[in-house]
Amino acid sequence: MARRAAGRRPGDSGTREAILAAARARFTEQGFRETTMRSVAAAADVDPALVHHFFGSKEGLFATAMAFPFNPADMVAGLLAQGVDGLGERLVRTLLVTFARLGPANPMIALLRSAVGHPPAAQMLREFLTGAVLDPVASAVRADRPRLRAELCASQVVGILVAREVVELPELRAADTATLVAAYGPTLQRYLTADL
Amino acid sequence: MARRAAGRRPGDSGTREAILAAARARFTEQGFRETTMRSVAAAADVDPALVHHFFGSKEGLFATAMAFPFNPADMVAGLLAQGVDGLGERLVRTLLVTFARLGPANPMIALLRSAVGHPPAAQMLREFLTGAVLDPVASAVRADRPRLRAELCASQVVGILVAREVVELPELRAADTATLVAAYGPTLQRYLTADL
DNA sequence: ATCCGAACTCACCTGCCGTTGAATTCCACG
DNA sequence: CGTGGAATTCAACGGCAGGTGAGTTCGGAT
């Protein structure tokens, strides 16, 4: 076993960021409970105790790792600023593009996977959805029952994620962006503006 | 501690069924990995070793507990037999009614929750969806890309489940059947029959 | 040059989980 | 009535996970 000498490494090791990157990938792939500190440490080529040293606990690591590399609330606000016309389509397209950009370190997938069987993560997910998406969307809607409409949209969006990432339905995974936008955009638009 | 004497209990104990019921409830609530044999045993008021005695392993318990109390393929076939007209609405209504009937022992929720972080369960879920729902629906659809259409429906259905049971969006949980059927029925119908 | 704190590793503790094997009690059948 | 097998419990093992405390090496401010 390539045993490394104890003690601080020379230079700017960047170890903390390596741990975070590894943690994001594992959390995205397996969720909170299935991800072990030891596996994160191994992926970052580091002693498990170091992870604890930096982040205090597994919960602390999770909380830190779940930060987005951008501000989702701003993104939603930008979409809403263009009005309700075509909003459904813009939401879907933005979602897909963002996912492609995030790649293997995707906080939304990580939260979704973690929410199952780990109540604090479910809470985080609910708060994120409510504060960054549902509330702004609901207050932009000019129709009755705006909150229900926002939640209807959320249910379809969550369904896209779970169907593609968890259940891994093949044709949904293979479909290109244009097809998905054409399929889902009108659905969201209807939830936002049509008669219920 | 109310310690029970070892050995067989008098009469028809019905213990096996009690264990299965407890297992279904725990798996539905928490999924495979979070459910412990010990918690199932405790809920059934039984020694953990007895669970093992009856079902061989946790996997065995899971496989046995996941059996539906009815045949879902038959149910889908019944819906399809009435033609494609109004199929979307019938699917949603049947789903909601079935869920209400299943209550706290719901194999679909259990499979969904278990699929995260436990690949064999994901496999079971995929096979169930494909064989009992996607294939029949796809072959009933009279339009281009039938399989994609079926998967689009599945993504919305899965979204309903996750949004209500995992994320627990309040207005979706509070909404009555009529509202949900009115909202989701046309979506599914469009996925099945409209131009994409 | 010195020294404090931060980065890092090691060995270890504790707790839970799935599983096992033996012992006990009861039912069914002869 | 006796006997074999099924139901049931107990005690325990081995593994793995999260966490801890002490010790080692380095960077940077003084």
Side-chain angles (χ1 to χ4, degrees), chain B residues 6-8 10-11 35-38 49 52 57-58:
Chain B
R8 186 168 188 159
T35 298
T36 70
M37 302 253 123
R38 287 169 148 91
H52 212 270
S57 72
K58 192 179 177 183

Side-chain angles (χ1 to χ4, degrees), chain A residues 169-170, chain B residues 126 128-139 146-147 150-154:
Chain A
L169 296 180
Chain B
R126 204 162 20 246
F128 163 74
L129 265 182
T130 302
V133 185
L134 290 178
D135 284 349
V137 169
S139 68
R147 180 53 186 256
E151 292 190 7
L152 285 169
C153 290

Side-chain angles (χ1 to χ4, degrees), chain A:
Chain A
M1 290 298 281
R3 200 124 117 189
R4 187 161 35 214
R8 188 169 187 156
R9 300 189 200 167
D12 184 4
S13 64
T15 302
R16 207 190 123 101
E17 283 311 311
I19 293 174
L20 271 181
R24 286 199 195 93
R26 307 292 292 181
F27 282 138
T28 302
E29 226 179 295
Q30 318 196 327
F32 180 82
R33 202 73 167 252
E34 320 297 324
T35 299
T36 71
M37 303 252 122
R38 287 169 146 91
S39 76
V40 169
D45 196 26
V46 143
D47 189 276
L50 187 60
V51 183
H52 210 269
H53 170 68
F54 277 132
F55 304 99
S57 71
K58 191 178 177 182
E59 292 282 353
L61 172 64
F62 185 68
T64 309
M66 284 307 93
F68 278 81
F70 57 87
N71 190 333
D74 288 351
M75 224 175 61
V76 173
L79 293 178
L80 293 177
Q82 303 170 50
V84 182
D85 269 14
L87 178 56
E89 233 180 66
R90 268 177 281 138
L91 281 169
V92 179
R93 175 167 282 114
T94 305
L95 182 82
L96 295 172
V97 170
T98 303
F99 266 56
R101 187 152 57 100
L102 287 172
N106 190 322
M108 290 200 52
I109 301 282
L111 276 175
L112 208 51
R113 283 205 139 102
S114 302
V116 177
H118 188 60
Q123 179 74 9
M124 286 176 66
L125 176 57
R126 203 163 19 245
E127 279 168 10
F128 162 74
L129 265 181
T130 302
V133 186
L134 290 178
D135 285 347
V137 168
S139 68
V141 167
R142 294 279 158 267
D144 61 327
R145 288 185 282 184
R147 180 54 187 257
L148 175 63
R149 292 171 183 274
E151 292 190 8
L152 286 168
C153 290
S155 77
Q156 176 62 92
V157 167
V158 165
I160 301 175
L161 306 190
V162 174
R164 296 186 71 184
E165 308 289 333
V166 178
V167 188
E168 300 185 6
L169 296 180
E171 301 234 352
L172 278 185
R173 303 197 89 184
D176 56 19
T177 302
T179 304
L180 294 175
V181 169
Y184 289 122
T187 295
L188 297 192
Q189 194 63 38
R190 189 180 142 263
Y191 290 158
L192 293 173
T193 58
D195 272 1
L196 297 180

Side-chain angles (χ1 to χ4, degrees), chain B residues 58-145:
Chain B
K58 192 179 177 183
E59 291 283 352
L61 173 64
F62 186 67
T64 308
M66 284 307 93
F68 277 82
F70 56 87
N71 189 333
D74 288 350
M75 225 175 60
V76 173
L79 293 178
L80 293 177
Q82 305 170 48
V84 183
D85 269 13
L87 178 55
E89 234 181 66
R90 267 176 283 138
L91 281 170
V92 179
R93 174 167 283 117
T94 304
L95 182 81
L96 294 172
V97 170
T98 303
F99 265 56
R101 187 152 56 101
L102 287 172
N106 190 323
M108 291 200 53
I109 301 282
L111 276 174
L112 208 51
R113 283 207 139 102
S114 303
V116 177
H118 189 59
Q123 178 74 9
M124 287 175 65
L125 175 58
R126 204 162 20 246
E127 279 169 9
F128 163 74
L129 265 182
T130 302
V133 185
L134 290 178
D135 284 349
V137 169
S139 68
V141 167
R142 294 278 159 269
D144 60 327
R145 289 185 281 182

